[in-house]
Amino acid sequence: MRAQAKQARREDEEESAFVSMTDMTVGFLFIMMILLAFFASQSRETETVPRTIYEDILDDRDQWRNLADARGYLIARYEATMKKMQETIDEQTVKIEELLAKIRELEQIDPLESYLADVTTARREILSRLRIAILADFPDLKVELSEESDALRFQGEGLFASGQSRLRRDKAAIVSRLAERLDEILPCFSLGEASQFDESCNPSFALVEAVQIEGHTDNLGADQFNRRLSADRANNTFFAMTSAADGVMQHLNLKLQPVLSVAAYGPDRPVAPNETVEGRATNRRIDLRFIMVTPQDTDGIKIIRDALEASGTRP
């Protein structure tokens, strides 16, 4: 009996434990179902907007997209235009730089050109000094600079009678004074024993090649007669000058030749129309032309400078 009661009690305990385990499992499953339902409800929650608002947003989006496309097209065109403009600017810049380079090259002072320009200026100054000196003594004398500023021009009627080659007695003093003035100026622009070169009186280092006494006539009369007449006038002026200032023949050029010389052109070089009395009177004239030494290169400049300096330092 006792054994049976004990067996029955064990079975009751085992059944109670099974019931407790079942209840716990069911409770746990229930809790899990609640949690799953909660999370499912959370995951299903979505935000929604009215359809009209949604469509308005789509319209706005399309408008902005179209605007962006249009702006992008314009920007692309502007960029292409700017690129072409930049290419043009670059090309023009290159051309400008090339022009500036040429200008800088042209602006570079050529020593030979600079020297020749200085020589031209020096010659003009010499002639101006001579003219002023002569006019100071003979204010009524008609003496002018040539158009090229390379000669003093004496109107023939002032020194010679029409058709005559001998200097008028009352005008001989003009030629004498001209020789004296020339003898005063030439030492600074010539070589030889009479040279008195100094850079202060001749900063250009200009050197006289020749001082030509040129005889000219009008076109009246025979050509042969006019040529002889112009030569006679030039020679008579030459002899009058050398008699008045014998030292004038001591002024030498680079070849150590006397710079004073004569030339005759007859009617070949008129400076006024021969159709009028006044024009023919102007063409009957004596020109005192200065011809300067003009080197062909910078070596020639050095030769001139050395010759002048050596002549000027002679004791």
Side-chain angles (χ1 to χ4, degrees):
M1 275 300 279
R2 178 180 290 177
Q4 292 178 349
K6 189 175 181 179
Q7 180 68 28
R9 192 167 46 253
R10 184 180 296 113
E11 290 176 356
D12 290 337
E13 289 176 357
E14 291 177 355
E15 182 179 359
S16 175
F18 177 76
V19 171
S20 297
M21 289 290 293
T22 301
D23 292 340
M24 287 178 64
T25 301
V26 172
F28 177 75
L29 291 173
F30 180 74
I31 292 172
M32 289 297 296
M33 290 177 63
I34 293 173
L35 290 173
L36 289 172
F38 172 76
F39 287 120
S41 65
Q42 292 295 317
S43 64
R44 286 197 303 267
E45 289 183 2
T46 57
E47 294 183 0
T48 60
V49 295
R51 186 172 186 80
T52 54
I53 296 176
Y54 173 73
E55 291 176 349
D56 290 341
I57 291 174
L58 290 179
D59 290 340
D60 290 342
R61 181 201 62 186
D62 293 340
Q63 291 178 8
W64 282 107
R65 181 177 294 167
N66 293 336
L67 182 60
D69 292 341
R71 292 290 175 85
Y73 173 74
L74 291 175
I75 290 172
R77 287 188 57 187
Y78 290 151
E79 288 177 345
T81 302
M82 290 298 295
K83 183 178 180 182
K84 290 182 180 179
M85 291 178 63
Q86 187 61 49
E87 290 174 352
T88 302
I89 291 172
D90 292 342
E91 292 175 359
Q92 295 300 322
T93 301
V94 171
K95 291 181 180 179
I96 290 172
E97 288 298 329
E98 291 175 352
L99 289 174
L100 289 175
K102 290 181 180 178
I103 291 172
R104 286 192 293 269
E105 182 179 347
L106 292 174
E107 286 178 344
Q108 300 231 334
I109 297 176
D110 185 320
L112 181 60
E113 290 183 2
S114 177
Y115 175 78
L116 294 177
D118 290 341
V119 167
T120 300
T121 301
R123 178 174 59 188
R124 186 183 300 112
E125 292 175 352
I126 293 171
L127 291 169
S128 296
R129 287 170 58 188
L130 275 174
R131 179 176 181 274
I132 291 170
I134 291 298
L135 289 178
D137 296 323
F138 306 97
D140 295 331
L141 183 67
K142 294 182 179 179
V143 55
E144 301 295 338
L145 264 68
S146 65
E147 292 80 359
E148 300 82 6
S149 295
D150 61 351
L152 281 185
R153 183 162 291 156
F154 297 85
Q155 187 173 329
E157 291 291 348
L159 301 177
F160 305 94
S162 178
Q164 300 296 314
S165 62
R166 188 174 299 277
L167 283 164
R168 286 180 175 178
R169 183 171 300 178
D170 60 331
K171 302 297 184 182
I174 296 173
V175 175
S176 297
R177 184 58 58 86
L178 177 62
E180 294 170 356
R181 298 298 188 188
L182 190 63
D183 192 36
E184 294 171 358
I185 292 175
L186 283 177
C188 200
F189 300 90
S190 62
L191 307 179
E193 295 296 331
S195 177
Q196 297 176 10
F197 167 78
D198 186 272
E199 195 170 346
S200 61
C201 68
N202 184 8
S204 303
F205 286 82
L207 183 62
V208 174
E209 170 66 25
V211 178
Q212 283 190 348
I213 302 169
E214 297 180 351
H216 301 270
T217 69
D218 59 30
N219 66 347
L220 295 181
D223 182 73
Q224 187 175 4
F225 171 79
N226 283 328
R227 293 188 185 281
R228 281 200 306 268
L229 179 61
S230 65
D232 290 343
R233 285 178 172 176
N235 283 322
N236 286 338
T237 303
F238 173 86
F239 292 131
M241 290 178 67
T242 55
S243 296
D246 55 358
V248 77
M249 290 298 291
Q250 297 179 14
H251 308 300
L252 309 179
N253 59 22
L254 195 59
K255 298 177 182 178
L256 300 182
Q257 302 165 338
V259 298
L260 194 63
S261 61
V262 295
Y265 294 98
D268 293 341
R269 299 188 179 183
V271 293
N274 277 305
E275 288 74 23
T276 64
V277 174
E278 295 79 6
R280 289 192 295 272
T282 300
N283 290 331
R284 294 192 295 269
R285 71 191 191 279
I286 287 291
D287 286 352
L288 189 67
R289 188 174 305 279
F290 275 67
I291 301 172
M292 311 301 289
V293 177
T294 54
Q296 301 300 311
D297 50 38
T298 53
D299 291 338
I301 298 175
K302 185 177 185 305
I303 292 173
I304 294 170
R305 292 175 67 99
D306 292 345
L308 281 170
E309 288 176 344
S311 185
T313 56
R314 183 180 293 106

